[in-house]
Amino acid sequence: AQKVTQAQTEISVVEKEDVTLDCVYETRDTTYYLFWYKQPPSGELVFLIRRNSFDEQNEISGRYSWNFQKSTSSFNFTITASQVVDSAVYFCALKDYGQNFVFGPGTRLSVLP
Amino acid sequence: DVKVTQSSRYLVKRTGEKVFLECVQDMDHENMFWYRQDPGLGLRLIYFSYDVKMKEKGDIPEGYSVSREKKERFSLILESASTNQTSMYLCASSLGSTFEPQHFGDGTRLSIL
């Protein structure tokens, strides 16, 4: 069965610190996609990245980077030099064939000034 | 940019009322979804639709129904609202392809008194 685990319920950091949000997934399919979404206090989930199961290259977008490791079934998200505007709930999600999206429970990140 | 619009940000209703939550998307997406979000539980899928007049049950359909008379509009109906349906409701849409990301509305925070 599909499952997404985000073991960190809440994280607090001070501005400019680096922070990594963990995501571990389970699926029997060999073809699947992983996603990260950000939910700021305003409520709307904002799509950040999609990664397919055949592409294990790390990705960097500005201060954001993602580390995908199939060997450990993990898709971790790192924010470098965090800012107050990064404060949000972050969701990891999994999509494989024939199933709907499965979301993790989310990690609430608080970046303190 | 995709725009998913939910009719209300906040809604207060009474037990036993019939409640309608409306969602409209402007990007001609085939797929539309309704989730509820509760602390610690992440997003749980209530219903989804892959085409006009088509609907499928998600993980927690009990107490809800949906309507999709037009491609751009997907309505969630609480037939007889109960206090355990107090939650944040999120609507999403996506293109027809299996692995396209979902795009979300701002959410409706519904309180049932």
Side-chain angles (χ1 to χ4, degrees):
Chain A
Q2 299 170 306
K3 187 177 179 182
V4 175
T5 301
Q6 295 178 256
Q8 304 147 308
T9 305
E10 294 191 33
I11 302 175
S12 287
V13 298
V14 178
E15 211 170 13
K16 298 184 183 175
E17 283 186 22
D18 299 347
V19 58
T20 295
L21 309 182
D22 297 334
C23 173
V24 174
Y25 63 92
E26 295 177 27
T27 178
R28 293 197 188 99
D29 278 7
T30 55
T31 301
Y32 54 89
Y33 277 70
L34 296 161
F35 302 77
W36 275 96
Y37 285 84
K38 173 182 179 180
Q39 186 181 38
S42 58
E44 176 187 359
L45 269 79
V46 177
F47 165 65
L48 296 178
I49 190 171
R50 176 180 63 172
R51 172 67 64 193
N52 77 59
S53 53
F54 299 107
D55 182 2
E56 286 193 73
Q57 270 196 325
N58 290 337
E59 176 140 352
I60 298 174
S61 176
R63 296 184 297 106
Y64 294 172
S65 62
W66 290 270
N67 182 286
F68 176 31
Q69 292 195 344
K70 285 178 77 170
S71 60
T72 56
S73 297
S74 65
F75 186 43
N76 296 337
F77 174 28
T78 297
I79 302 174
T80 303
S82 59
Q83 299 176 2
V84 173
V85 294
D86 296 326
S87 296
V89 181
Y90 291 87
F91 290 95
C92 180
L94 165 71
K95 178 71 173 70
D96 58 26
Y97 275 117
Q99 299 289 335
N100 284 305
F101 275 70
V102 174
F103 287 83
T107 296
R108 181 178 298 277
L109 173 65
S110 298
V111 181
L112 308 174
Chain B
D1 264 358
V2 177
K3 185 66 177 175
V4 179
T5 303
Q6 295 185 228
S7 52
S8 305
R9 290 300 305 272
Y10 301 94
L11 204 54
V12 180
K13 296 291 182 180
R14 296 211 171 270
T15 303
E17 281 192 65
K18 191 169 186 176
V19 181
F20 293 85
L21 303 184
E22 306 287 346
C23 176
V24 177
Q25 51 94 4
D26 65 358
M27 285 302 291
D28 204 34
H29 282 173
E30 290 82 3
N31 309 325
M32 296 189 75
F33 307 83
W34 274 106
Y35 294 88
R36 64 177 281 177
Q37 180 182 4
D38 300 289
L41 298 177
L43 275 69
R44 293 181 291 167
L45 182 64
I46 305 171
Y47 267 96
F48 59 99
S49 169
Y50 289 151
D51 202 351
V52 176
K53 296 193 184 295
M54 176 269 179
K55 59 187 178 184
E56 293 283 347
K57 292 179 179 179
D59 300 320
I60 52 164
E62 297 77 19
Y64 304 94
S65 63
V66 290
S67 171
R68 193 163 182 204
E69 296 296 319
K70 293 185 178 181
K71 190 175 185 180
E72 68 270 19
R73 185 180 297 271
F74 193 35
S75 303
L76 179 69
I77 304 155
L78 285 65
E79 297 290 345
S80 178
S82 63
T83 55
N84 62 11
Q85 292 179 308
T86 292
S87 186
M88 168 73 97
Y89 289 87
L90 292 163
C91 175
S93 72
S94 69
L95 282 170
S97 169
T98 302
F99 297 113
E100 286 298 313
Q102 296 184 350
H103 299 270
F104 286 82
D106 287 345
T108 296
R109 190 166 292 282
L110 174 65
S111 296
I112 307 296
L113 305 179

